[in-house]
Amino acid sequence: MKHCDCANFLSLDCEKGMCALDKAIVPLDGEGSFACPRFKEGYLCKFCSNFHDPDDHGIGTCTGFEKPEWAYAGCGAFTCEHFVRASELEAVSE
Amino acid sequence: MDEKQARINQILETRGKFRSLDVQAGEGYEDEKFPEPSPRFTKLMDIYYVMKNTIDMEYPYWYNRVWWQNDGDLPEIRRAKAESAALTHMTPTIWPDELLVMNKTKNWRGAFCFPWVDASFFNAQAEALMNEADAPALSESDKMSVVAAGGGNVTKSYGNVVSIAQKFGLRKEEVPVLVKVAKYWDNCSVEVKTQQYSELLPEYKKYKAYRDSVLVMFDSWAIPQGREVMNYYLPLEYGFDRLSELCDEKIDEGLGKVEHGDGLLGMSRGYYYIAMKEIIHGLSQWAENYSKKAAQLASIEKDPRQKSDYEDIQIVMHNIAHKQPQSFREALQLTLLLHFATVNEDPQSGQSIGRLGQILDPFYEKDLREGKITEEEAIELLELYRIKITSIECFASSGVTGGVLSGNTFNNLGVGGLNYEGMSAVTPLEYLIVEAAGRAKTTQPTISVLYDEKLPEDFLLKCARVTKMGFGFPAYMNNQTGMNFMIRHYGEEGMGIEDARAWMLGGCLESSPGCFQPLHYDGKVTWIPGGAGPTAGTGVHFTGLPKLLELVLTNGVDKRTGIKVFEPHGHKLDTFEDLWAAWTEYLHECIEVSLKVNNIQMDVWGKMNPPVVTSLLKPDCFTKGQIETRMGARYMGTHNFESCGTVTFINAMTSLRKNVYDEKKYTLDEMVDAMLHNFGFKTAFETGVFSPDHREATELAPKYEKIFYDCVNAPKFGNADPYADQQMVDYQNHMTPYLYSLQSCYGTDYYMCQISVSTHGPQGAITLADAGGRLAGTTYSDGSVSAAAATDKNGIYAVFESATCYDHSRNQNAQMNVKIHPSAVKGAAGTRKLLDVIRAYMRRGGFHVQFNITSSQTLKAAQAKPEEYRDLMVRVAGFTQYWCEIGKPIQDEVIYRTEYDH
């Protein structure tokens, strides 16, 4: 996982963001872009149980709303009313 | 403080109920230094300086999704639902040390594309984008615009970042999303539909020729909003919850009901309030999302101070999501939310903040009186506000972003002017706004002083002190001249003296109508000003007057491209009057054809993409129950003709008059031959230098040496020479009545707007040499009444005399740029001298003056080593921009402007 997948990640621009915990600027790519042990899964469509079948470009289907629609893996979901974390759902079912 | 100073302060307090923070008098007074900005500001700016302009797909994705889900609904309701969904699904980002929050997107200098307005740009490049290859050929305007390589611009793709429009970076993984969204709009964007219907015009081929030759370089659909003034009144007065209730009440009483025979218009009222309820919900939820984000950040924060900051943000954002603001900070935050929501509605620039220090003063004064805020805390908030506004970016093609806007978004904040009662409108908060501008070095908001003789002297001196710092602002606009224009132009729509006093600049210099409304707060009623009309920066825009003259001399053919722009005019051009007649015939044809296209563009945009945020905020939309573009706003006569290169044109005409017609030194054929051969010099594109002073001779130079000498030395505008100035008078006398004979899509009269913004760069680039001695490809003159660079030989007061040779209140604006060496205004005496210069111009009726107080030497050094001058700011044409973020042609032109050093 990368910093940008973390719940503590704050977007800055197309090449970097910030860690809300230690306030360090972190790159999106290359060296230094990988998550640290404090990683906590963020709010992105790709982590949602309603997001299915992404293609090579990360474009899949969102079934969280009344009508299924295409969606993309990297879309922010912090404010989505139907975001249900897939990993939590899996944990419950186990 | 000595006794004399104490007495002065006492008198000032008696007069104006406020006191100055820093204006002193007496011996030893040094006014050079403003205090350092707050540590928060410094920390945040350190991050800002390394930020890249970034677009992302969250807003477009959700807009697109919800728009199509509501296929078949009424346009205003469908649009409100789509905008509301987009706002409420964007990731809220809050960075440490912020007190004011929110941005256009999740990124700091974020923006996004609007495929529902313009999809062709992306669809044409879809394959290339998907292959991460270089973009294919751009439009003619795009080719002519050079976006600066420095600062936050992403001019080239790198790594996982794809450059879009030579300015923004987009993550590679979001490219497929962009391409997929854009495809939905391939045949139904505003651009496509306006083109489809424009092409039905019999004259469409002519319009295409104007655009392809870059004689005209702007499409109104590309930025259909902006160049207007925000109005924050309704949410400040009621809060979102009460506004939503008001919508319910209006729906209950008005849906399906017509009144006084207003038929279809009456029927649309009910739908309007349904749409408003949707967008109010979106705005409220958008604020609530930031409250939720602040709560999340507070929950993981270890540092007590930062945790407390997040908790405060959580409360502020929750409160403004529902209720009327109850503090200065809440009110300021609410205005930011409304501003961001408005600039997210359409691609736009020039969304003016308005007279914020008058609007928010009741909130500030109450907090101050009750000990809830100190002056320093208020200044800190205003410094942070400046970062927020400086960070606003606009996505458009590079022809618009670089060529027209120079990357700036023109968020203009006004101070001064007169209040509802006709007295000085300056408030205590406005002193702090100017103070914050002096401390916090940022490009935006630019500040416009509505200069009036009634304004307090200490306030004007404080403004002059900031101007001296070389930021390019405050700029000074003549309040009385502005009011006269308002009444002259909007009188037909019922404007009286009170509303005329509420005027303000939309964008950099687009005088815009306003009105006062009663704010009930702190147990009293305060009449606060705000914008009251739609965009005042659309119409027939950026017509290159020198290019038009060139086309007269080449009988309608653009020699650069070979395009036949006009039919041969058939004039012999054997008298100056005949030359003028030919020029005006071409001008009229160009304007009247372009006007039809513009009317279609604005009408189609208004019908397809009715502006809903704007229609909530602008009076009298909510009262009438009408969308702004359905004649909802109080004043609708805002469309205009916008010229470029006025003084270059005046100088060229004056030279032709003198050298060809009056003194008959040369025949017109000899003059045209010299111009076609660039007087024997290399063109700007051959040399790579766009400044008019750069000349590299070819072997032909000796042949044209004498004619070039006579052209350069012909009388020039800006020297108080009646021979040249009369040409300006004749031009103005022709344009005013002519434009009033033309009508916008709202059935209102046209008028003249005279600002070039940055178009004097690209339009100069496509224009051959002219009879005034300007060489091919070099920039036109800046502004509209500034002398062309280095042609004013008689000092600044001679420039002022020329500039005021006609009544400025007949037009929307008249732009005067002045460059002064810092040594000329040094110290307290220099501040007074600068104010005297401003006052001298205003008293002559000059509408506007702005200053670059910097040396050409510094600018040249910055051009050579931009990395060492990241925070250097210059005034271009009605806006201030970081030096490293403007294109080279404009950099060259600013360096070359005449510099006054005494």
Side-chain angles (χ1 to χ4, degrees), chain B residues 676-688:
Chain B
L676 292 175
H677 290 91
N678 202 30
F679 298 105
F681 294 98
K682 289 182 181 176
T683 67
F685 273 94
E686 288 169 328
T687 64

Side-chain angles (χ1 to χ4, degrees), chain A residues 2 4 6-25 27-30 40 43-45 55-82, chain B residues 47 50-59 61-62 64-65 68-69 88-96 106-109 130 154 158-161 168-171 173-174 176-177 180-181 184 289 292-293 296-297 300-303 306 310:
Chain A
K2 289 184 145 189
C4 55
C6 178
N8 300 318
F9 177 81
L10 304 172
S11 286
L12 283 171
D13 64 18
C14 54
E15 61 180 26
K16 55 192 171 291
M18 182 183 281
C19 172
L21 296 178
D22 61 15
K23 321 296 186 280
I25 291 183
L28 297 187
D29 302 303
K40 185 183 170 193
Y43 296 86
L44 298 167
C45 286
D55 64 13
D56 291 346
H57 294 304
I59 291 177
T61 303
C62 166
T63 56
F65 291 76
E66 193 177 339
K67 186 184 166 199
E69 276 288 351
W70 70 270
Y72 64 105
C75 187
F78 180 80
T79 62
C80 182
E81 53 272 50
H82 296 293
Chain B
I47 300 174
V50 296
M51 285 301 101
K52 296 293 182 191
N53 296 326
T54 299
I55 60 171
D56 77 281
M57 291 304 297
E58 285 185 352
Y59 188 106
Y61 168 77
W62 277 102
N64 186 67
R65 178 170 172 164
W68 292 109
Q69 279 176 353
T88 57
H89 285 93
M90 281 194 294
T91 301
T93 313
I94 299 170
W95 295 288
K106 65 181 180 180
N107 293 305
W108 192 303
R109 297 182 71 173
M130 290 299 283
V154 180
Y158 62 95
N160 285 323
V161 176
F168 290 93
L170 172 68
R171 294 290 301 168
E173 57 268 25
E174 294 199 40
V177 186
K180 194 170 173 69
V181 169
Y184 283 81
N289 290 346
K292 183 181 161 193
K293 182 67 187 177
Q296 185 236 339
L297 290 170
I300 59 170
E301 183 57 53
K302 304 289 185 212
D303 175 55
Q306 184 60 62
Y310 288 143

Side-chain angles (χ1 to χ4, degrees), chain B residues 226-228 512-513 532-537 618 628 633 635-639 746:
Chain B
R227 288 83 67 213
E228 60 194 280
S512 297
T535 177
K618 282 281 167 61
E628 184 183 51
Y635 302 108
M636 297 297 295
T638 54
H639 291 194
Y746 302 127

